[in-house]
Amino acid sequence: MNPSNWMPDLAHPWTRFALIVVIALAVAGVLRRVTKFFLRRFAITHPAGASMIARANAPMEAIVPLAMLLIAFRASPDEPASLIDGLEHVVSLGLIVACTWFIVRCIGALDATVSRFNPIDREDNLRARRVQTQARVLSRTGSVVAVVLGIGVALMTFPTVRQFGASLLASAGLAGLAVGLAAKPVLGNLIAGLQIALTQPIRLDDVVVIEGEWGKIEEITSTYVVVRIWDERRLVVPLQYFIENPFQNWTRTNSQVLGSAMLWFDYGLPLGPLRTELERLCKQAPEWDGRVCVLQVVDTNDKAMQLRALVSSSNSSKSWDLRCKVREGLIAFVQREFAGFLPRVRGEFESPVGVDSSAIVGADSSAIPRQRAG
């Protein structure tokens, strides 16, 4: 048998096309290896980029071969056109998906890098919370925009969709109005997310009071915010709520907060020893930050006086614990040292006419004709 019969006919169009595809895939393999080598060297000298390289590695494995295949299809035979066009369309769609995936992974890597270099598990974390909030909201918004653009570009590769788009542009007024009304919640939340990222009325780990619930901002997405309530429940709130409605932010400028413990005692209780006891309780409590420790009479009625112990802490969680400690400590002190001055009901007793009041002293309650609250 003639060995030349085993050699491919390079003059045949399909043979040349197959050879070009093989060469393109081989070049893609070489480019991937070279790219990996330089990216690893970059990750060694720049640790901040290691996360991005690790996340972008998977889509890069698909982008390079697909791009080389798309270039190779330019040398494809003219016949059969339907088969070649279909394969080229599939490769184009795969490349668009891979590029979109690459962009989303890079955005996520940037967010993770910013979070790693700005941890919020510290005492003074105001700057870290500000930076993380901006990175988190902008990354979520950027990912949504990248996915929407990727879907739009993929759809525009279909001729029927392009014709439909042209017809929509011809009636842009009505179509724009319909799309605008339909997409109002989505677009409103995206715009609200950008406003929150730039103006920052809330940040991650902020302490807020919303809808009568006290909690911390646990997560900020592109459409909603998750608030972790103090009893481990989760309150999910749309982003637009924080732009359109008032709410309390206890850590807007700093995490320091004042807490009060309200107590009722009898008028006869001396306040000097109670103030001394409050100072002792605060100095022994690790939750007290040393700024404020005040005892004041803030209200009175016909039975007792109301005292307010005002104390300060570095954050709201410590403030709650300190308030409970102060309240329990002051009550225990009064019970131990001034038990007779706990709140009580006063009454005025009148004896019947002609009966000596001293005669009913020590008698049981049935001998007292009536009681009138004073």
Side-chain angles (χ1 to χ4, degrees):
M1 183 177 293
N2 189 359
S4 61
N5 294 334
W6 294 90
M7 298 297 294
D9 185 8
L10 297 180
H12 196 278
W14 282 102
T15 304
R16 290 200 306 269
F17 176 64
L19 184 60
I20 291 173
V21 170
V22 172
I23 294 175
L25 292 177
V27 172
V30 173
L31 287 177
R32 278 186 349 203
R33 290 180 179 274
V34 173
T35 304
K36 281 185 178 181
F37 173 77
F38 284 105
L39 289 178
R40 287 174 181 172
R41 295 289 299 272
F42 178 79
I44 295 174
T45 57
H46 299 79
S51 175
M52 181 177 296
I53 294 172
R55 288 176 178 245
N57 182 58
M60 280 293 294
E61 293 285 339
I63 289 176
V64 177
L66 289 173
M68 296 304 298
L69 280 177
L70 198 60
I71 295 174
F73 271 111
R74 300 300 178 185
S76 62
D78 296 332
E79 297 294 339
S82 58
L83 176 61
I84 297 301
D85 291 343
L87 291 175
E88 187 175 0
H89 189 201
V90 171
V91 173
S92 300
L93 289 176
L95 183 60
I96 293 171
V97 172
C99 290
T100 304
W101 183 21
F102 175 77
I103 295 173
V104 171
R105 294 297 292 269
C106 288
I107 293 175
L110 286 174
D111 182 21
T113 302
V114 171
S115 300
R116 186 171 69 253
F117 284 94
N118 295 273
I120 60 177
D121 54 349
R122 298 177 180 177
E123 187 69 24
D124 186 12
N125 60 359
L126 182 61
R127 180 183 177 278
R129 291 190 291 111
R130 181 186 303 115
V131 173
Q132 277 207 29
T133 300
Q134 288 180 333
R136 188 70 53 83
V137 175
L138 291 177
S139 66
R140 300 291 172 82
T141 304
S143 297
V144 171
V145 172
V147 171
V148 171
L149 290 178
I151 294 174
V153 173
L155 291 176
M156 292 301 292
T157 60
F158 293 91
T160 55
V161 175
R162 286 200 298 267
Q163 295 175 1
F164 181 69
S167 63
L168 282 180
L169 290 177
S171 56
L174 182 60
L177 180 61
V179 172
L181 292 176
K184 181 180 178 181
V186 177
L187 295 176
N189 280 319
L190 286 177
I191 295 174
L194 293 176
Q195 287 181 280
I196 288 175
L198 297 176
T199 61
Q200 293 196 339
I202 56 172
R203 292 177 293 265
L204 288 173
D205 209 43
D206 264 348
V207 177
V208 297
V209 178
I210 179 171
E211 297 293 324
E213 300 283 1
W214 181 96
K216 288 186 176 182
I217 302 295
E218 183 178 52
E219 183 181 1
I220 301 178
T221 71
S222 57
T223 55
Y224 61 87
V225 176
V226 179
V227 182
R228 186 179 72 251
I229 309 301
W230 65 272
D231 57 359
E232 300 300 328
R233 290 178 295 147
R234 299 305 192 269
L235 183 65
V236 181
V237 186
L239 279 175
Q240 283 185 285
Y241 181 94
F242 294 94
I243 302 299
E244 300 174 353
N245 299 280
F247 62 95
Q248 296 183 35
N249 189 336
W250 290 12
T251 53
R252 180 69 180 86
T253 56
N254 56 64
S255 59
Q256 295 175 341
V257 66
L258 297 179
S260 60
M262 312 301 291
L263 300 166
W264 287 93
F265 290 117
D266 189 77
Y267 283 105
L269 177 67
L271 299 181
L274 204 61
R275 288 194 172 97
T276 303
E277 178 65 11
L278 175 61
E279 294 177 359
R280 186 189 69 82
L281 292 172
C282 288
K283 291 178 180 179
Q284 290 184 350
E287 297 84 2
W288 186 53
D289 63 1
R291 292 187 299 121
V292 179
C293 179
V294 178
L295 181 68
Q296 297 172 317
V297 178
V298 294
D299 196 8
T300 59
N301 58 24
D302 58 340
K303 299 179 180 65
M305 60 180 174
Q306 187 181 40
L307 306 182
R308 182 185 68 181
L310 190 64
V311 292
S312 60
S313 299
S314 58
N315 58 59
S316 57
S317 299
K318 292 183 178 180
S319 177
W320 174 264
D321 295 335
L322 181 60
R323 289 166 58 195
C324 294
K325 286 185 178 180
V326 166
R327 189 181 296 110
E328 294 171 3
L330 291 180
I331 292 175
F333 175 76
V334 173
Q335 289 176 337
R336 183 176 64 252
E337 303 293 338
F338 302 97
F341 296 108
L342 293 171
R344 56 186 179 182
V345 177
R346 288 183 172 85
E348 180 180 346
F349 298 93
E350 294 183 1
S351 60
V353 179
V355 178
D356 186 4
S357 60
S358 61
I360 63 173
V361 175
D364 58 20
S365 58
S366 62
I368 302 175
R370 65 189 180 92
Q371 176 183 4
R372 185 181 66 194

